């Protein structure tokens, strides 16, 4: 799977609702954010990893385009990665920390 860009609040809600028995990973980023540009390709690799196939869906949200969703989710720094299961937030990773992000995804997938 590729990382799908969510462009509306309804798309975000649908992404959470339409992923039963999967982990939803959302990358909150900004186009002007240097660390976001560095970690973005790493997240793309995670989304294509066989280890997460059929277990995790990957999305991204431009905080400048969807300020309401970012505010609703308490995002105040970029990048911020939120992991959801059954529509509930289960983990947060602040900053461009691919090692910690991978650890959180692996831990969440293991609990499925």
């Amino acid at each position: 799977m590729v990382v799908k860009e969510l462009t509306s609040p309804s798309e975000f809600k649908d992404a959470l609702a339409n992923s039963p028995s999967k982990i939803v990973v959302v990358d909150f980023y900004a186009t002007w954010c240097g660390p976001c540009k560095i970690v973005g390709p790493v997240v793309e690799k995670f989304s294509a990893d066989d280890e997460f196939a059929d277990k995790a869906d990957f999305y991204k949200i431009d905080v400048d385009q969807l300020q309401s969703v970012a505010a609703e989710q308490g995002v105040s720094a970029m990048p911020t990665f939120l992991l959801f299961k059954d529509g509930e937030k289960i983990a947060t990773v602040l900053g461009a920390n691919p090692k910690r992000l991978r650890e959180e995804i692996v831990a969440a997938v293991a609990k499925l």
Side-chain angles (χ1 to χ4, degrees), residues 19-92:
S19 294
S21 69
K22 284 187 176 183
I23 300 303
V24 174
V25 180
V26 184
D27 172 4
F28 287 85
Y29 76 99
T31 57
W32 46 263
C33 166
C36 299
K37 292 176 185 177
I38 293 168
V39 78
V42 177
V43 177
E44 289 283 346
K45 286 181 186 173
F46 290 167
S47 73
D49 192 323
D50 288 342
E51 183 176 5
F52 306 132
D54 301 321
K55 296 176 185 168
D57 288 337
F58 291 79
Y59 300 95
K60 60 185 178 179
I61 291 178
D62 182 339
V63 297
D64 292 324
Q65 298 300 316
L66 286 182
Q67 293 177 4
S68 62
V69 174
E72 178 183 285
Q73 295 302 316
V75 173
S76 60
M78 275 63 70
T80 294
F81 299 92
L82 301 181
L83 280 67
F84 297 85
K85 182 179 184 303
D86 299 324
E88 298 295 319
K89 190 184 315 178
I90 59 169
T92 302

